Amino acid sequence: MVNFGKKLAADQVEEWKGYYINYKLMKKMLKQYVQQTQIGGKDCEQILKEFSRVLDDQIERIVLFLLQQQGHLASRIEDLGAQRAAIARHVDTSRVFELRETYREVGRDLVKLLRFVDMNATGLRKILKKFDKRFGYRFTDYYVTTRANHPYSQLQQVFKQVGIVAVAGALSRNLAYLEDEHRGSFLSIYDNPSVVLKDPIIDQVNNAVQKLTHATNFMQYLGQHALIVQDDSQSEPEDTVNDGSYHFMSLMLNLVNTFLYMVNTYIIVPTADDYSVSLGAAPTVCGIIIGSMAVAQVFSSVYFSAWSNKSYFRPLVFSSIMLFSGNLLYALAYDLNSLTVLLIGRILCGLGSARAVNRRYISDCVPLKTRLQASAGFVSASALGMACGPGLAGFLQTKFTIYSLTFNQSTLPGWLMSISWLLYLVWLWFSFKEPEHFAKAAASAPPSESSHQESANLEEGLAQPLLIGSEDRLDENSEDNDDTADSKKSHEPATSFVAAYKLLTPSVKVQLLIYFMLKYAMEILLSESSVVTTYYFNWDTSAVAIFLAILGLTVLPVNAVVGSYVTNWFEDRQILLASEIMVLIGIIMSFRYTSHYSIPQYVSSALITFVFAEVLEGVNLSLLSRVMSSRLSRGTYNGGLLSTEAGTLARVVADATITGAGYLGTDMLLNVTLLPPLVISIVSIVATFCTYNTLF
């Protein structure tokens, strides 16, 4: 991995060298400040003011140069506009092509300027965080608050540059007009906002603008849910996955695995309370039944993440076998009249959770040009599975017996899923293709040596990158030791949960807390829905299934609106805070305050909680990918695993809360189970305010 100081020096435009942030100088200043404070030469307040002035000077030089370059680009576009007007009066095909190429040259210069701003913005983020780390107090919070919120803010020119976006808009508009005039059309891009100009240079400009302004689109927003998508694909090194080694059917098998697993998770939710009652337990034991799968997933996430260092096929085979066996036991528990068999079946299903493998396959084995679509497909498959699970349960309202085996609404989900996983296993066995880098490694290394190396990799957590472009992602949180002897060690992946925890900054911890909170609230809502609606509204299984399916179906439309529009209007941290507040409002609305609890109150509060928790998840993971150390972007103990573990633990605790609250009586279940997410939600909002200025 190239350290930022070296990357900054290597990627500078030669004629602009004097206008980049002097990152090396400021690093030396920080070292001098540390020495001066140790010998008592300067106090912290003096250092803070002095370093603030140095940063102000650096930013001012960057911004003034930026404005100067914007003016040059604007003048060039204005001159080209006059030429375009002349061509419009006297159409000349050769001049049209020549003018179009000139516009594209302006576009290439605009991309250079956007990357100039991005490199400087990254340098500012890093030096602020480095200052905090060296001195142990919130210089970033002070500096961003005083500078970014000032009416004459130059910091905002770097992090949210509206002028550059205006230049990009002028370039796009003129190229579009040139194309339309050549075709004889008189429509404007503003008349057809849904029509996108197909030009490679415009794609590059849009990608660079999105990275600078944190703007996004639906596909990227979905991909962020998987913690896979990198913000700027243009900064990628040469893609290591070529089209020849890419196997589309293997990708489809991973997505189908994701879909089936989510169906498997939620197909029992509408009937779990009835199943527990039929086995002689209380209906609130459904919390343990649903949550036992999540308990096992806490452990399976770790060994599947490690296993995917050396194979994808074998973990998927193992996953299919465990899920087939688990669902079979779940179905047989009714005739065996054994709650123990039922729980063992769900635990086996949890031990077959291969989501870590599915995610890793996309980031390691899918070519760069299709990785965004694959990442969005991963999230879409999860969302559709979540909606289809309860929906399928609503169609299984029948009862019959074959050879002393009972098939009813409680057992049919198990039978259906066991057959599905068996068919999937057969398809997997004949159609999956192990990636070339695993096959070549196995062929080139002697058996004993290969086995030893695999064991060492498994223990040490050394892996292919989990996240796209993780080798070249700029480390936003760890020390930039590009001038020290232990530089290599400082960028090695974490080799244990303890090592990973030590890399968590306050902002990362807050994002993980938010993820825990939203998963907790969603699990409470979904898992207790059958018990609550039966008790208060006398809903049958079909009604519960329809309600849960409708909730699940809101995921993709809501993400489409947020990913296509909302994230282009507001900063991620603004959406994050607003979504947290709306989730809190939804939780507060869910409480039963009087003896009468109405369906409109329950349904509206559930929709608010669920929808804004979904919005919160996407923005939360987007911010998490930016504030997390690059050492957590690869290896077994990576950021994806940490977020998965946080979410899984939240589900476990939530389901245990439902069963525990059941001992107090069904009439108290709703209010008791809503108290913990209420408290955690308030704590997460306070924590977000405390770290708000570090989320940029």
Side-chain angles (χ1 to χ4, degrees), residues 211-503:
K211 186 170 190 291
L212 178 62
T213 63
H214 300 306
T216 186
N217 57 45
F218 180 42
M219 296 291 282
Q220 289 174 318
Y221 185 74
L222 278 185
Q224 289 168 353
H225 281 60
L227 209 60
I228 292 174
V229 174
Q230 181 179 326
D231 292 323
D232 182 16
S233 60
Q234 296 300 323
S235 63
E236 274 295 302
E238 185 178 352
D239 193 7
T240 56
V241 183
N242 56 56
D243 292 335
S245 63
Y246 165 57
H247 191 235
F248 176 76
M249 187 57 68
S250 298
L251 171 62
M252 288 301 301
L253 283 162
N254 273 275
L255 296 180
V256 171
N257 183 283
T258 300
F259 171 78
L260 287 178
Y261 185 79
M262 294 303 291
V263 171
N264 208 147
T265 300
Y266 291 101
I267 194 172
I268 71 161
V269 172
T271 57
D273 56 334
D274 292 334
Y275 207 164
S276 62
V277 169
S278 67
L279 297 179
T284 51
V285 174
C286 68
I288 293 295
I289 295 173
I290 297 170
S292 57
M293 191 170 177
V295 171
Q297 191 179 343
V298 172
F299 303 98
S300 65
S301 297
V302 179
Y303 66 71
F304 271 116
S305 180
W307 202 349
S308 60
N309 294 341
K310 53 183 179 178
S311 176
Y312 295 108
F313 175 68
R314 284 172 286 177
L316 290 176
V317 169
F318 177 77
S319 166
S320 304
I321 293 172
M322 295 298 286
L323 283 155
F324 166 75
S325 305
N327 283 289
L328 190 62
L329 290 178
Y330 183 86
L332 292 173
Y334 185 90
D335 292 308
L336 296 175
N337 194 31
S338 173
L339 184 62
T340 302
V341 172
L342 181 84
L343 293 175
I344 291 174
R346 287 294 286 179
I347 289 172
L348 289 179
C349 289
L351 293 175
S353 172
R355 287 175 65 82
V357 179
N358 305 143
R359 184 187 288 113
R360 277 285 293 276
Y361 185 88
I362 292 172
S363 53
D364 287 359
C365 305
V366 177
L368 205 57
K369 63 182 181 181
T370 56
R371 203 172 294 167
L372 179 63
Q373 292 87 338
S375 301
F378 174 84
V379 178
S380 300
S382 299
L384 290 174
M386 184 179 180
C388 289
L392 284 173
F395 290 102
L396 303 178
Q397 306 303 301
T398 185
K399 184 175 182 179
F400 56 92
T401 304
I402 301 177
Y403 297 113
S404 300
L405 295 177
T406 303
F407 297 84
N408 58 24
Q409 65 173 12
S410 298
T411 63
L412 278 171
W415 290 115
L416 176 63
M417 294 312 303
S418 61
I419 293 172
S420 299
W421 284 112
L422 182 62
L423 294 175
Y424 174 81
L425 179 60
V426 174
W427 182 19
L428 178 74
W429 189 269
F430 289 103
S431 301
F432 190 86
K433 180 181 177 182
E434 192 77 279
E436 288 185 359
H437 64 275
F438 286 140
K440 289 178 180 178
S444 60
S448 59
E449 181 182 343
S450 175
S451 176
H452 175 74
Q453 183 63 38
E454 288 175 352
S455 176
N457 285 348
L458 181 60
E459 293 174 3
E460 297 176 12
L462 300 178
Q464 298 296 324
L466 171 65
L467 309 179
I468 290 180
S470 56
E471 292 97 334
D472 286 311
R473 174 171 295 162
L474 302 178
D475 186 352
E476 295 287 344
N477 301 292
S478 64
E479 187 66 30
D480 221 341
N481 296 316
D482 50 347
D483 54 354
T484 61
D486 58 347
S487 174
K488 182 178 180 181
K489 182 179 179 180
S490 70
H491 294 290
E492 290 179 352
T495 57
S496 67
F497 276 119
V498 174
Y501 181 80
K502 291 179 179 178
L503 294 173

Side-chain angles (χ1 to χ4, degrees), residues 33 61 102 117 143 171 187 263 281 287 390 414 460 489 508 561 595 634 660 668 691:
Y33 287 152
R61 187 179 73 252
T102 308
V117 179
Y143 192 82
L171 180 67
L187 292 176
V263 171
E460 297 176 12
K489 182 179 179 180
V508 175
V561 172
S595 58
R634 55 196 190 279
M668 297 185 65
T691 59

Side-chain angles (χ1 to χ4, degrees), residues 52-68:
S52 296
R53 290 176 181 174
V54 172
L55 272 179
D56 290 341
D57 290 340
Q58 294 278 321
I59 293 170
E60 184 174 280
R61 187 179 73 252
I62 294 166
V63 169
L64 292 178
F65 176 75
L66 171 62
L67 295 174
Q68 182 187 66

Side-chain angles (χ1 to χ4, degrees), residues 433-577:
K433 180 181 177 182
E434 192 77 279
E436 288 185 359
H437 64 275
F438 286 140
K440 289 178 180 178
S444 60
S448 59
E449 181 182 343
S450 175
S451 176
H452 175 74
Q453 183 63 38
E454 288 175 352
S455 176
N457 285 348
L458 181 60
E459 293 174 3
E460 297 176 12
L462 300 178
Q464 298 296 324
L466 171 65
L467 309 179
I468 290 180
S470 56
E471 292 97 334
D472 286 311
R473 174 171 295 162
L474 302 178
D475 186 352
E476 295 287 344
N477 301 292
S478 64
E479 187 66 30
D480 221 341
N481 296 316
D482 50 347
D483 54 354
T484 61
D486 58 347
S487 174
K488 182 178 180 181
K489 182 179 179 180
S490 70
H491 294 290
E492 290 179 352
T495 57
S496 67
F497 276 119
V498 174
Y501 181 80
K502 291 179 179 178
L503 294 173
L504 302 184
T505 60
S507 54
V508 175
K509 291 177 182 177
V510 169
Q511 295 309 303
L512 290 175
L513 172 65
I514 293 171
Y515 194 70
F516 180 92
M517 179 274 291
L518 69 91
K519 287 297 183 182
Y520 194 115
M522 291 174 70
E523 189 70 11
I524 289 289
L525 170 64
L526 298 174
S527 295
E528 72 177 12
S529 59
S530 182
V531 178
V532 169
T533 55
T534 300
Y535 180 78
Y536 289 109
F537 317 130
N538 293 318
W539 284 6
D540 58 14
T541 300
S542 297
V544 178
I546 292 171
F547 170 68
L548 294 178
I550 291 173
L551 281 183
L553 289 173
T554 62
V555 172
L556 291 180
V558 168
N559 284 332
V561 172
V562 176
S564 299
Y565 302 103
V566 179
T567 52
N568 292 323
W569 298 335
F570 303 98
E571 295 180 14
D572 282 353
R573 57 182 181 172
Q574 294 173 327
I575 303 172
L576 180 87
L577 188 56

Side-chain angles (χ1 to χ4, degrees), residues 67-280:
L67 295 174
Q68 182 187 66
Q69 292 301 312
Q70 283 178 208
H72 290 328
L73 291 173
S75 297
R76 290 169 64 186
I77 292 175
E78 185 179 11
D79 293 341
L80 292 174
Q83 297 179 39
R84 181 180 63 77
I87 291 177
R89 290 190 295 269
H90 306 285
V91 179
D92 185 338
T93 303
S94 62
R95 289 190 62 193
V96 168
F97 285 114
E98 181 181 342
L99 187 58
R100 184 183 299 158
E101 186 55 38
T102 308
Y103 270 118
R104 287 172 179 165
E105 185 62 35
V106 175
R108 283 186 277 271
D109 289 340
L110 177 58
V111 170
K112 280 169 44 178
L113 186 60
L114 288 164
R115 290 178 180 170
F116 165 83
V117 179
D118 181 60
M119 290 295 288
N120 284 294
T122 302
L124 288 170
R125 288 191 190 102
K126 291 179 70 63
I127 205 67
L128 287 168
K129 292 175 182 178
K130 190 180 293 296
F131 193 104
D132 287 352
K133 184 173 182 179
R134 291 282 179 91
F135 290 92
Y137 60 89
R138 292 192 173 284
F139 176 71
T140 298
D141 194 38
Y142 158 77
Y143 192 82
V144 173
T145 302
T146 55
R147 269 62 176 177
N149 299 328
H150 194 276
Y152 300 138
S153 172
Q154 292 181 330
L155 193 62
Q156 286 288 13
Q157 290 287 319
V158 179
F159 289 117
K160 204 78 173 175
Q161 223 304 316
V162 178
I164 286 188
V165 177
V167 174
L171 180 67
S172 300
R173 186 183 68 86
N174 279 278
L175 269 173
Y177 279 179
L178 198 64
E179 182 73 20
D180 289 338
E181 287 169 359
H182 180 60
R183 295 177 179 176
S185 172
F186 296 95
L187 292 176
S188 165
I189 60 172
Y190 302 112
D191 299 324
N192 293 278
S194 60
V195 178
V196 180
L197 177 62
K198 300 295 183 182
D199 194 294
I201 192 62
I202 296 300
D203 289 339
Q204 292 182 37
V205 170
N206 288 338
N207 287 332
V209 168
Q210 286 175 358
K211 186 170 190 291
L212 178 62
T213 63
H214 300 306
T216 186
N217 57 45
F218 180 42
M219 296 291 282
Q220 289 174 318
Y221 185 74
L222 278 185
Q224 289 168 353
H225 281 60
L227 209 60
I228 292 174
V229 174
Q230 181 179 326
D231 292 323
D232 182 16
S233 60
Q234 296 300 323
S235 63
E236 274 295 302
E238 185 178 352
D239 193 7
T240 56
V241 183
N242 56 56
D243 292 335
S245 63
Y246 165 57
H247 191 235
F248 176 76
M249 187 57 68
S250 298
L251 171 62
M252 288 301 301
L253 283 162
N254 273 275
L255 296 180
V256 171
N257 183 283
T258 300
F259 171 78
L260 287 178
Y261 185 79
M262 294 303 291
V263 171
N264 208 147
T265 300
Y266 291 101
I267 194 172
I268 71 161
V269 172
T271 57
D273 56 334
D274 292 334
Y275 207 164
S276 62
V277 169
S278 67
L279 297 179

